[in-house]
């Protein structure tokens, strides 16, 4: 038994996808984000849905789309992001292209095709289904930097949601995502005292020596068995080899499955500031981003079963993955709302020049989303 998409044409889909890809819309590129927001807003207005523009500060515009704007409760909340990780100039260097099996281009699977699949599902679904459901689609402009400027808004909407579906890409093998690691990012600043390295080194206080001790202390917090990993990925400091360095900086990435274990690591990082390894050096710790881990609850497992049944009816083999990267699914899962991710078409190579979208997964994933919505309505 399959859901027909009578008007579905891959050629038309790709022509509708192209203007979403061929825009430089990296996070904080407000002009590009605005171009995407305007395109998405028009698609929903043309369907007769209500669109609210949300000011996300320096990140630009977010969109909150509803079929029943007066309904306090949301039966299904769907989330997607409009930003990419790519700098201005990327589109000129490699605009969207296609071959027999795949489409390529910045954001083609992460996640413009996911945004478009949601539109296709809602355009084609029976009106009787949407009449039974209160649906809200949130599209934010800053997911790629941890949704720093949209998190509060997304949570304020999600608090009234019964289910959350995130339209990030399915994995390369078609797997959906049931769990995601949490993440945090820290910027560490070290302030010492400069001195001449030859004439008066003992008067100096080396910020780099302090930082080096921190790198070792942070590495010691990694626990590969439980999946809590800390990576000092960027370091810089000093002004010259003949000067005791008075400044240094490091950026740390943290990934974790266990939110309590992360809280313990966070406390240990902050406690290190109170006992510097080098007397006279001061340290600042700034947490620049944080997303809790997404781990399935009993309610989530019930939603997974519904998705698996939907796939079975459509002849789609539903597989699940636990992945290390975070998404906005993390934000809603920690609120206790059944949340699943990976409802976009399949792709891979995210955040790289090799990013691709599997063309033969577009229509089946639209059908899957429609069937899941039908079952939630029933």
């Amino acid at each position: 038994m399959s859901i027909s998409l009578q008007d579905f044409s891959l050629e038309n889909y790709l022509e509708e996808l192209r203007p979403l890809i061929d825009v430089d819309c990296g996070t904080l590129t407000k002009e590009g984000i605005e171009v995407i927001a305007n395109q998405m807003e028009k698609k929903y207005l043309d369907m007769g849905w209500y669109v609210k523009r949300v000011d996300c500060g320096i990140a630009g515009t977010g969109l909150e789309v509803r079929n029943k704007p007066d309904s306090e409760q949301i039966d299904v909340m769907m989330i997607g992001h409009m930003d990419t990780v790519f700098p201005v100039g990327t589109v000129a260097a490699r605009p969207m292209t296609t071959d027999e099996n795949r489409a390529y281009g910045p954001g083609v699977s992460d996640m413009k095709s996911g945004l478009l699949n949601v539109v296709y599902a809602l355009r084609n679904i029976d009106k009787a289904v949407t009449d039974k459901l209160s649906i809200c689609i949130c599209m934010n402009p800053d997911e790629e930097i941890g949704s720093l400027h949209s998190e509060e808004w997304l949570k304020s909407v999600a608090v009234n949601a019964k289910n959350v579906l995130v339209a990030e890409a399915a994995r390369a093998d078609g797997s959906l995502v049931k769990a995601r690691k949490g993440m945090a990012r820290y910027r560490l600043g070290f302030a010492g005292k400069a001195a001449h390295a030859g004439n008066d080194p003992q008067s100096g206080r080396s910020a780099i020596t302090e930082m080096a001790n921190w790198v070792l202390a942070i590495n010691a917090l990694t626990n590969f068995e439980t999946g809590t990993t800390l990576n000092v990925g960027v370091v810089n400091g000093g002004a010259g080899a003949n000067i005791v360095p008075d400044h240094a900086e490091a950026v740390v990435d943290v990934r974790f499955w266990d939110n309590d274990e992360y809280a313990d690591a966070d406390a240990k990082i902050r406690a290190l500031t109170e006992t510097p390894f080098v007397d006279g050096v001061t340290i600042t710790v700034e947490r620049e981003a944080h997303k809790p881990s997404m781990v399935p609850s009993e309610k989530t497992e019930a939603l997974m079963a519904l998705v698996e049944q939907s796939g079975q009816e459509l002849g789609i083999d539903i597989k699940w993955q636990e992945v290390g990267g975070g998404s906005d699914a993390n934000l809603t899962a920690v609120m206790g709302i059944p949340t699943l991710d990976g409802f976009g078409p399949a792709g891979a190579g995210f955040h790289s020049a090799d990013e691709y979208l599997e063309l033969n997964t577009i229509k089946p994933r639209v059908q899957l989303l429609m069937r899941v919505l039908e079952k939630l309505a029933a």
Side-chain angles (χ1 to χ4, degrees), residues 71-94:
S71 174
E72 185 177 338
Q73 181 174 284
I74 298 166
D75 295 307
V76 186
M77 178 181 182
M78 290 185 273
I79 303 176
H81 63 87
M82 298 183 284
D83 58 326
T84 71
V85 297
F86 301 105
V88 171
T90 302
V91 166
R94 49 181 189 90

Side-chain angles (χ1 to χ4, degrees), residues 328-356:
D328 287 321
N330 298 56
L331 300 179
T332 58
V334 79
M335 297 170 69
I337 306 162
T339 301
L340 293 173
D341 198 352
F343 280 90
F350 315 131
H351 297 192
S352 79
D354 301 322
E355 181 177 0
Y356 66 85

Side-chain angles (χ1 to χ4, degrees), residues 121-138:
L122 294 172
R123 270 184 195 156
N124 288 281
I125 203 164
D126 193 316
K127 188 175 180 296
V129 175
T130 51
D131 283 349
K132 288 181 185 174
L133 293 172
S134 169
I135 300 173
C136 178
I137 305 101
C138 286

Side-chain angles (χ1 to χ4, degrees), residues 12-134:
N12 290 345
Y13 180 99
L14 293 175
E15 283 311 301
E16 194 170 350
L17 180 63
R18 190 178 304 277
L20 293 170
I21 305 303
D22 289 349
V23 179
D24 283 319
C25 52
T27 319
L28 306 183
T29 309
K30 288 180 78 169
E31 301 82 1
I33 296 290
E34 194 65 22
V35 171
I36 303 300
N38 289 340
Q39 288 186 53
M40 297 308 299
E41 180 179 36
K42 184 177 188 306
K43 294 180 197 305
Y44 282 100
L45 290 175
D46 287 349
M47 289 160 56
W49 288 52
Y50 171 84
V51 181
K52 173 183 168 186
R53 296 176 78 91
V54 179
D55 181 4
C56 295
I58 62 170
T61 301
L63 296 179
E64 186 177 317
V65 182
R66 295 177 186 254
N67 66 331
K68 297 180 180 178
D70 298 327
S71 174
E72 185 177 338
Q73 181 174 284
I74 298 166
D75 295 307
V76 186
M77 178 181 182
M78 290 185 273
I79 303 176
H81 63 87
M82 298 183 284
D83 58 326
T84 71
V85 297
F86 301 105
V88 171
T90 302
V91 166
R94 49 181 189 90
M96 180 175 139
T97 58
T98 59
D99 61 26
E100 200 173 321
N101 300 311
R102 294 173 173 175
Y104 308 88
V108 71
S109 51
D110 184 20
M111 60 167 288
K112 297 304 194 307
S113 54
L115 295 180
L116 191 55
N117 265 33
V118 173
V119 170
Y120 265 69
L122 294 172
R123 270 184 195 156
N124 288 281
I125 203 164
D126 193 316
K127 188 175 180 296
V129 175
T130 51
D131 283 349
K132 288 181 185 174
L133 293 172
S134 169

